[in-house]
Amino acid sequence: MNGKTEKATMSLETTKEIYFMVKNYYQEAWQVKNEGKPVAWMGVGDPIEIFRAMDILPVFPENFSAACGAKQLTARSCEVAENEGFAHELCSYFRNTYGYMVNKELPTPPGGGMPAPDLLTLVLNSCKIRTKWWRIMEDYYRVPTFIMEAPNLPWTQKGYALNDHYLKYVVGQLEKLIEFLEDYTGKKLDFDRLKEMLTYTDQAAVLYEEILELRKAVPCPMGAEDMAGVITPTILLRGTQQAVTFYKKLVTELQQKVKKGQGVLPEEKFRIVVDNIPPWYTKGLYNYFHRYGGLCVAETYTSVFGWHCRMDPAKPLESIARACSINWLNISYEERRERFLKLVGDYQIDGAIFLANKGCKVYSGSNTFLANLLKKETGISSLVLEADQTDPRDYNDTQVKLRIDAFIEMLANQ
Amino acid sequence: MQAFDMPVQRKCQCECSGKKVAGYLCNFPKELVYAAGFLPFRLWGSPEDMREVDSYFPAFFCHFARSVFGLALRGEYTSLDALVTVNMDDTIYHLSNALKEAFRWPYCYLLNRPHDASTYGSFDFFLAELEAWKTSFEQAANKKITGYALSEAIALYNESRELLKQIYDLRSRFPAALSAVTVAEMVRASLTLPPQTVNACLRNIIGDVLRKNNIAVSEKKPRLHISGSIVGDHDLYQLIEDCGGIVVSDDLCQGARSFWYLVEETGNPLKDLARYYLEKMICPHMHTLGLLEKRLDFIMAFVERYRVDGVIFCLQKYCDCHQLDMPLLVRKLRGKGIPSLIIEIEGKIDKGQLGTRITAFLETIA
């Protein structure tokens, strides 16, 4: 690491609650564990409503690693994994979790970290690293494990029009997941309870859509420094009233700002889109654009990723299967093209930042395709910056900022 | 058999008398392609450094994937009549999409193969995928893929598999007659040339070696197994032999993993293929429960069959799935008393540095 990393400076009130939300979540997880209730480790975006409806607490190794990154704790934990033979170029979420899994001497993570799992579950819906990672955890913890797959979508089909055999395959596996959980807990899933949770999920999705709509305003009322954490309630608390309440509050705050014509910046000159997972250890990077009148107004990670899929409680498993299948990383370049160009138009983008996150090939693979597409279709320029999502050791803050300086200068001269 | 030079298509088209050629990636069920009247031609990439790819495909992807894109960029694949790929890992998914978007292909298709053979519905899903592809390709090729043609294709490729297995057995007995480079070229040919040509050639080679079975078995040299995905630069094999070792086996995806097991012929060829490509491939990109143990057993079976003294893990830099398996495999092999060396490759090998490491490793196991 060269140069210091920085925490983000938030401009909204509601988003300041997110830090405490995460901390409380892990503290509560320990409480649940101590009460003898089951804890399942799972992938972000997995169908947590099913688990909540069965009183199983979901905990997320990826979110845990992001939280460790934000607290600048990940350099040592990643080193532990590397010392055990895992390559430096592997996913830093994996390396961090592995480090904390095998080494109990590392600094205390936020909220005390993750209580040990009673179950491991995962939906493979893009990243093929996670499945190997989950098998490694299964080998270590020796707990019941269930991995299912929502296949990558080829270019012959779109997320909004899934082929029957894709839908059938995912729904069939969800039914097996429910059987697996019923066997473990010894009780039946209450479908009415699941439907109630999916209603909350759908309400949260509608509010999330409103947030995205409000960010289209010029000047923009919320930058990436605030938005990066806004997916947290979707990840941790989907299917709960708490998530709905958070998003309602955020919508209200944003509506007031938009009504007053109040943006993050007094003078907004450049509207920027960012691609890739935020570099959690230096989220303050987003604030750096402010000095030039630049604001990150949209991100593929939060705006078009698919965290906020609508749900039809009358068709619970089909809705969940669709939600599992259509995320940004699971769709073809053809569909990414559609989503990305629409995003760029809707948000009146002036420039794009692509983070080259070498540990996350599944996200970074389309960097060059999207950058070239943008230039060709709209004439908009891009900048590629090297930034891992959680491991700060290769991050060169000085160099990154020098490149941003030059990029903004170029945008100003266009 | 000689190494393939570029442009690859011209050569293979020449070999198969004007037959249409479908380039494929990974373990696409090549029997289906062949039964449609096309020559399935596995894309190999090139060990050459191709910096020009950086503008189209990120630099932190494995050299193999980048070089396939690079060859397409250089126009090496322009004469292909189709590109068919199978979704094995994130790199191949990206590469397939990037190739599809960047170049014009007469036909281009991505097939989904589940990554866990034991998942509920995985076989039915894969079968549905194969049927959907078959229908699509039949339309594009304007030719029906009959059950008879498919059975014939399976039989032909199964024969190649059996012959290659014999070659591996013979190499173990007569390593001086069958160098590692020669055997690697035979496997490559089996994945790129018409199976009849390959089978005839392999039968001749086997006959020749057996006739000259008075070739002295080499003096006692360390016998090595190569584990990994792709060895793009066959100079590596030469280097190992120059350093004093003998390569006697491998579990590479462009090596023994491509032919070690046969497609079982039960009378329903499409189901037979689905079962083979879903369940028989000990592919590190799968996560079927117990896969790692199966990989270990597969390696150990070679260790015993060919009296292996040491294992060289030859990993493509940035190949995540292999990198994730490696520490656990190394540990388990060590537990069984099998020494191993880990080398990371990106394109052309660095003979100087690598030679020193290989020599040191051979000294420890000699």
Side-chain angles (χ1 to χ4, degrees):
Chain A
M1 190 164 57
N2 191 345
K4 67 185 179 66
T5 54
E6 289 162 312
K7 289 185 177 173
T9 306
M10 317 283 238
S11 63
L12 299 173
E13 288 307 311
T14 314
T15 50
K16 287 174 187 150
E17 295 174 13
I18 292 166
Y19 170 76
F20 299 101
M21 191 184 281
V22 175
K23 198 174 166 188
N24 291 342
Y25 192 86
Y26 286 106
Q27 281 172 347
E28 281 168 27
W30 280 101
Q31 201 180 325
V32 165
K33 180 82 178 174
N34 292 336
E35 287 167 8
K37 291 179 189 161
V39 169
W41 286 11
M42 66 188 68
V44 294
D46 286 2
I48 60 174
E49 297 91 341
I50 294 174
F51 293 79
R52 287 193 179 283
M54 299 191 75
D55 295 318
I56 299 169
L57 188 84
V59 171
F60 310 89
E62 293 147 286
N63 177 265
F64 162 74
S65 289
C68 290
K71 290 294 281 180
Q72 316 234 337
L73 296 173
T74 44
R76 278 181 61 192
S77 48
C78 287
E79 260 173 26
V80 170
E82 288 161 28
N83 290 341
E84 297 245 347
F86 292 105
H88 177 63
E89 292 80 16
L90 281 168
C91 168
S92 52
Y93 282 178
F94 160 71
R95 283 180 287 134
N96 175 67
T97 307
Y98 186 89
Y100 271 100
M101 183 174 82
V102 301
N103 187 322
K104 307 300 174 202
E105 309 296 317
L106 292 168
T108 308
M114 299 186 288
D118 300 297
L119 297 165
L120 290 164
T121 65
L122 181 71
V123 178
L124 165 60
N125 54 1
S126 58
C127 170
K128 314 286 182 301
I129 304 311
R130 295 193 305 172
T131 48
K132 310 284 278 188
W133 168 6
W134 257 242
R135 288 286 183 223
I136 289 170
M137 295 195 296
E138 180 186 17
D139 189 47
Y140 185 85
Y141 288 111
R142 305 272 167 182
V143 294
T145 300
F146 187 96
I147 300 177
M148 57 174 277
E149 179 164 3
N152 290 118
L153 301 184
W155 48 81
T156 42
Q157 63 178 303
K158 300 285 164 60
Y160 44 80
L162 288 182
N163 284 359
D164 285 348
H165 72 280
Y166 278 68
L167 204 54
K168 192 177 158 197
Y169 180 40
V170 183
V171 168
Q173 292 173 86
L174 286 170
E175 286 166 352
K176 288 287 165 192
L177 169 66
I178 292 167
E179 275 179 31
F180 168 81
L181 297 177
E182 287 176 340
D183 282 350
Y184 181 78
T185 57
K187 64 179 182 188
K188 285 281 180 198
L189 169 67
D190 178 349
F191 266 87
D192 288 336
R193 200 167 167 212
L194 176 64
K195 287 174 186 174
E196 188 189 332
M197 285 177 175
L198 291 178
T199 306
Y200 284 132
T201 303
D202 191 56
Q203 286 171 5
V206 171
L207 291 163
Y208 196 100
E209 270 298 333
E210 272 188 67
I211 292 164
L212 297 179
E213 277 302 309
L214 287 160
R215 287 186 83 200
K216 290 177 187 168
V218 181
C220 176
M222 173 162 62
E225 58 279 1
D226 282 84
M227 188 65 195
V230 170
I231 57 166
T232 307
T234 307
I235 292 170
L236 299 182
L237 302 169
R238 211 170 59 234
T240 66
Q241 173 69 56
Q242 201 185 341
V244 175
T245 305
F246 173 86
Y247 287 127
K248 260 187 193 157
K249 198 170 167 189
L250 184 57
V251 166
T252 306
E253 188 179 0
L254 291 173
Q255 279 170 336
Q256 284 164 358
K257 285 192 177 279
V258 171
K259 204 171 166 187
K260 289 183 205 160
Q262 198 181 346
V264 175
L265 302 176
E267 194 188 356
E268 187 180 280
K269 291 183 185 163
F270 308 107
R271 293 170 67 87
I272 291 162
V273 62
V274 186
D275 180 62
N276 222 308
I277 301 171
W280 298 109
Y281 48 86
T282 188
K283 244 172 28 154
L285 182 66
Y286 296 128
N287 292 104
Y288 186 75
F289 291 91
H290 294 194
R291 67 175 61 192
Y292 297 110
L295 188 73
C296 302
V297 298
E299 309 80 28
T300 55
Y301 191 59
T302 55
S303 310
V304 289
F305 194 89
W307 296 112
H308 58 290
C309 190
R310 295 291 306 272
M311 294 286 177
D312 178 359
K315 294 178 183 169
L317 297 190
E318 199 176 298
S319 293
I320 291 172
R322 284 182 198 284
C324 288
S325 301
I326 60 153
N327 77 64
W328 174 253
L329 306 181
N330 214 41
I331 57 171
S332 68
Y333 280 19
E334 201 165 300
E335 193 170 355
R336 282 183 214 200
R337 176 204 281 130
E338 281 175 23
R339 284 195 200 177
F340 191 63
L341 290 178
K342 183 169 185 318
L343 178 82
V344 166
D346 285 352
Y347 286 84
Q348 303 176 55
I349 296 299
D350 300 303
I353 301 292
F354 290 93
L355 300 175
N357 177 2
K358 67 174 184 280
C360 187
K361 290 165 193 71
V362 68
Y363 212 127
S364 307
S366 56
N367 277 3
T368 41
F369 165 71
L370 292 172
N372 292 340
L373 173 77
L374 195 60
K375 193 70 187 170
K376 190 177 160 206
E377 298 291 328
T378 66
I380 293 171
S381 299
S382 305
L383 173 67
V384 180
L385 298 172
E386 302 262 338
D388 188 90
Q389 60 207 27
T390 309
D391 186 349
R393 288 171 298 159
D394 291 340
Y395 176 74
N396 188 325
D397 194 64
T398 312
Q399 203 177 67
V400 162
K401 285 178 177 162
L402 281 171
R403 297 193 63 206
I404 292 173
D405 296 345
F407 181 64
I408 294 284
E409 196 178 320
M410 187 196 71
L411 288 183
N413 290 329
Q414 276 180 350
Chain B
M1 284 186 203
Q2 298 220 327
F4 281 88
D5 298 313
M6 296 298 158
V8 286
Q9 296 76 21
R10 277 202 290 279
K11 282 214 165 188
C12 73
Q13 275 172 327
C14 181
E15 287 279 350
C16 66
S17 324
K19 209 173 207 176
K20 285 190 171 180
V21 178
Y24 72 98
L25 287 173
C26 289
N27 286 306
F28 193 93
K30 55 185 176 295
E31 292 85 351
L32 272 163
V33 177
Y34 188 77
F38 279 59
L39 175 73
F41 183 92
R42 185 158 176 165
L43 302 183
W44 287 86
S46 157
E48 266 184 84
D49 191 15
M50 297 187 186
R51 288 291 157 90
E52 67 268 31
V53 176
D54 290 359
S55 306
Y56 303 90
F57 206 66
F60 45 84
F61 274 71
C62 73
H63 180 87
F64 164 74
R66 286 168 46 76
S67 73
V68 167
F69 194 96
L71 290 176
L73 207 54
R74 290 179 184 181
E76 298 290 349
Y77 299 143
T78 48
S79 60
L80 285 180
D81 301 291
L83 175 71
V84 288
T85 71
V86 58
N87 180 17
M88 304 294 281
D89 68 346
D90 299 332
T91 297
I92 297 299
Y93 184 64
H94 276 297
L95 177 62
S96 304
N97 273 282
L99 287 169
K100 188 253 173 192
E101 293 294 333
F103 307 102
R104 286 190 176 182
W105 306 91
Y107 177 87
C108 191
Y109 199 95
L110 173 71
L111 181 77
N112 255 313
R113 190 199 62 174
H115 292 79
D116 184 341
S118 62
T119 303
Y120 177 78
S122 60
F123 181 79
D124 290 344
F125 173 79
F126 188 42
L127 192 62
E129 277 289 277
L130 289 180
E131 278 164 352
W133 178 79
K134 183 170 163 279
T135 305
S136 157
F137 201 63
E138 282 174 342
Q139 282 167 2
N142 199 22
K143 186 182 173 182
K144 274 271 172 210
I145 300 174
T146 64
Y148 176 77
L150 202 47
S151 296
E152 198 176 54
I154 291 172
L156 277 169
Y157 280 105
N158 266 349
E159 191 185 349
S160 302
R161 293 180 177 107
E162 280 177 318
L163 290 167
L164 283 169
K165 213 165 166 178
Q166 285 181 42
I167 292 280
Y168 269 48
D169 283 347
L170 279 179
R171 178 203 13 210
S172 175
R173 286 166 61 200
F174 309 116
L178 290 164
S179 74
V181 174
T182 308
V183 174
E185 290 299 338
M186 289 180 201
V187 180
R188 180 184 290 208
S190 76
L191 299 169
T192 46
L193 292 179
Q196 295 96 331
T197 312
V198 172
N199 294 348
C201 188
L202 292 178
R203 276 194 296 270
N204 284 339
I205 293 168
I206 291 167
D208 278 354
V209 175
L210 288 174
R211 267 193 299 280
K212 296 174 190 166
N213 68 357
N214 54 351
I215 296 171
V217 174
S218 307
E219 68 273 28
K220 176 66 187 156
K221 287 180 174 179
R223 297 164 68 85
L224 301 165
H225 174 90
I226 310 294
S227 184
S229 56
I230 293 160
V231 175
D233 186 356
H234 286 180
D235 283 354
L236 176 70
Y237 298 125
Q238 192 58 53
L239 180 66
I240 291 171
E241 292 184 346
D242 291 346
C243 291
I246 309 172
V247 175
V248 291
S249 61
D250 67 75
D251 64 305
L252 300 169
C253 79
Q254 292 181 341
R257 267 198 281 126
S258 73
F259 68 80
W260 200 253
Y261 297 114
L262 299 182
V263 178
E264 203 182 335
E265 296 168 81
T266 66
N268 187 331
L270 201 62
K271 279 191 175 173
D272 293 342
L273 286 175
R275 203 163 288 116
Y276 177 78
Y277 283 96
L278 183 63
E279 295 167 6
K280 288 284 183 72
M281 294 280 165
I282 305 176
C283 171
H285 296 114
M286 303 282 281
H287 61 269
T288 310
L289 183 61
L291 182 92
L292 197 72
E293 286 70 23
K294 261 193 178 175
R295 283 200 68 195
L296 183 70
D297 291 346
F298 195 51
I299 295 171
M300 285 309 294
F302 285 112
V303 168
E304 280 155 30
R305 187 180 181 109
Y306 297 128
R307 291 170 285 116
V308 167
D309 299 306
V311 173
I312 298 184
F313 285 92
C314 184
L315 304 183
Q316 292 267 330
K317 191 175 169 75
Y318 302 121
C319 182
D320 288 346
C321 289
H322 276 274
Q323 297 277 9
L324 276 162
D325 277 358
M326 182 270 291
L328 305 169
L329 283 176
V330 167
R331 215 171 296 150
K332 288 180 188 236
L333 281 173
R334 199 182 298 141
K336 290 175 183 291
I338 310 297
S340 56
L341 171 72
I342 303 146
I343 58 177
E344 207 170 50
I345 46 170
E346 263 193 298
K348 279 191 186 301
I349 59 162
D350 175 349
K351 285 185 187 171
Q353 205 183 49
L354 213 48
T356 310
R357 291 188 60 207
I358 292 168
T359 305
F361 177 63
L362 295 180
E363 280 168 9
T364 62
I365 62 174

